Structures are given as C-alpha cells and as structure tokens.
Amino acid sequence: MKFFIDTANLKDIKDANDLGILDGVTTNPSLMAKEGITGVANIIAHYIKICELVDGDVSAEVISTDFEGMIAEGEKLAALHPQIVVKIPMIKDGIKAIKYFSNKGIRTNCTLIFSAGQALLAAKAGATYVSPFIGRLDDISTDGLALIEEIRLIYDNYGYETQILAASVRHVMHILNCAKIGADVITGPLSAIEGLMKHPLTDSGLATFLADYQKGNN
Ligand code: E4P
C-alpha cells in the first residue's frame, strides 16, 4: 500500500519523507489556503517545492469547473513537473476532462468521490486515481470504509487499473482497515501516519530496557 501525506505544509511533508516511507503528496485548495499560499504564482511555486522535496506523485487540483478551463489549467499543472497528477472534481465536465487527459497520457486523480457509481465512472474515463473521502462520509454517519470495499470489488471484477486512493483519512484505524480491504493508497495527515508507530507497551518496554542497561553498566 502506498502512503501519501495530505497537506501543503512543507515541514510535515519533510518529516514524513524523512521517515523514508512516503510515496506522494495530495493537496487541495483548502490545504493550500490553510498554509497561507494564495495567488496562482505562489501556488505554482509551492507545487514545485513539494515536487522537489519528495520522490513521488503530487496531486495538484484545478479550480475551474468547466471543461475548457480544466483542460487549460490541467495542462499547465502537468507541465510544471513530471510528478504532478492533475486533480479533477467528480462533475460532468470533470469526467470529460479525465477522459481527455487519459487519452493524452496525463495522469489524473478524480477527487470528491462519495459513491461507488462515481468511482466506476471515473475508472471508465481512465482516471489514474480515485479519491473516496472516507472521513467525510464517517462525519455524516455513513460507513466510509464500506465504500472502499465496494470500489475494490467493482474494480477487481473488471480489472480496472485506476488506483483507489483512500482520502480524508483521519486516524490509524482508517489506515489499517484500508490496508485490510486492499486500498492501493491512503492519504492522511502526519499525525495519522505517525500514529502507526505508537504503542504504550513499546514505550514502557524501551524505558525498561534502557533502565536495565544503566543498572548493569554503572
Ligand atoms: C483528498 O485528496 C483531500 O485532500 C482530503 O483527503 C480531504 O480530507 P479532509 O476531509 O480531512 O479535508
């Protein structure tokens, strides 16, 4: 399973990358705004910084919602760096744009996926990734992980190569359950990724080992 970090924060990206387990980065306009990155030139410069920081796919989201706009924006984004994946919302013109980019060999991430039907359509159009938002589904008392299971089944039935990028991941259990189901990728905050390494028995066990070493070597 690939690990992406879902942030535009360069320090968090660097911290995750330094662990040696990072496969890519996802961003969105809200995450950019959270870091105070505004204006096209700054946003573009930020994408390039992220690409230079990590060795993996970096999702860059279009703002346009019409076909022509998405094509113009997506082509500019894709030309910025070979690691850029154009992130396109699940709307009618978005599907057309994904098909267009797929024909041109430009990689896409279809975002804001909340149903298996949307994921099926994105795969038909040739999306490289689909991003089902599991945390946001959980927030409205709908089982986000059940959606990952449904999409996995459908893609496996037909051998779709579109990768399931479980997004809106909030915590360790999301990551573990995505791994059990067979999501291709998870994207979440640094806290969720780092949470995987934490266990109180590891901490207490290490403290005991170090204390016993000190006793024997004093
Ligand atoms: C996906 O690519 C989105 O950036 C993201 O995972 C949304 O997560 P959120 O629901 O925590 O905002």
Side-chain angles (χ1 to χ4, degrees):
M1 186 170 74
K2 288 192 235 171
F3 277 40
F4 288 3
I5 189 166
D6 194 31
T7 186
N9 182 287
L10 295 179
K11 186 185 176 306
D12 283 3
I13 294 171
K14 188 176 178 320
D15 280 0
N17 197 47
D18 286 350
L19 285 173
I21 51 81
L22 195 67
D23 300 298
V25 180
T26 51
T27 62
N28 64 41
S30 305
L31 292 171
M32 283 286 187
K34 193 174 161 196
E35 299 307 320
I37 315 293
T38 54
V40 179
N42 291 330
I43 290 171
I44 282 176
H46 204 71
Y47 283 139
I48 293 171
K49 277 186 203 159
I50 295 173
C51 289
E52 285 169 355
L53 208 53
V54 302
D55 188 15
D57 289 350
V58 175
S59 287
E61 189 159 342
V62 298
I63 304 304
S64 308
T65 52
D66 64 298
F67 177 75
E68 286 76 17
M70 281 190 256
I71 299 308
E73 255 190 85
E75 282 182 338
K76 274 187 205 144
L77 289 170
L80 288 180
H81 198 282
Q83 286 166 236
I84 293 282
V85 175
V86 182
K87 201 171 180 189
I88 298 188
M90 166 42 72
I91 53 177
K92 198 170 179 178
D93 280 20
I95 289 296
K96 293 181 196 170
I98 288 167
K99 183 69 189 172
Y100 172 91
F101 286 130
S102 161
N103 287 341
K104 289 195 75 177
I106 291 176
R107 294 174 310 138
T108 54
N109 172 0
C110 186
T111 190
L112 291 165
I113 296 281
F114 293 96
S115 78
Q118 292 176 325
L120 176 58
L121 205 52
K124 278 290 284 179
T128 313
Y129 296 101
V130 282
S131 289
F133 280 32
I134 60 179
R136 291 194 194 185
L137 281 169
D138 289 353
D139 289 346
I140 58 158
S141 304
T142 303
D143 188 352
L145 289 162
L147 175 59
I148 303 294
E149 270 175 333
E150 262 189 291
I151 300 171
R152 180 75 284 155
L153 175 68
I154 292 168
Y155 283 8
D156 288 350
N157 279 348
Y158 296 98
Y160 284 120
E161 285 177 9
T162 299
Q163 294 180 54
I164 304 173
L165 196 175
S168 189
V169 157
R170 303 271 167 79
H171 47 69
V172 167
M173 287 312 292
H174 273 155
I175 299 179
L176 289 181
N177 284 316
C178 282
K180 287 182 197 166
I181 293 165
D184 300 289
V185 191
I186 61 93
T187 191
L190 184 62
S191 59
I193 297 170
E194 288 190 337
L196 288 169
M197 70 178 103
K198 292 185 182 141
H199 197 288
L201 291 178
T202 304
D203 297 340
S204 60
L206 180 60
T208 305
F209 287 158
L210 295 179
D212 288 345
Y213 174 85
Q214 288 302 334
K215 276 185 227 157
N217 288 279
N218 276 334

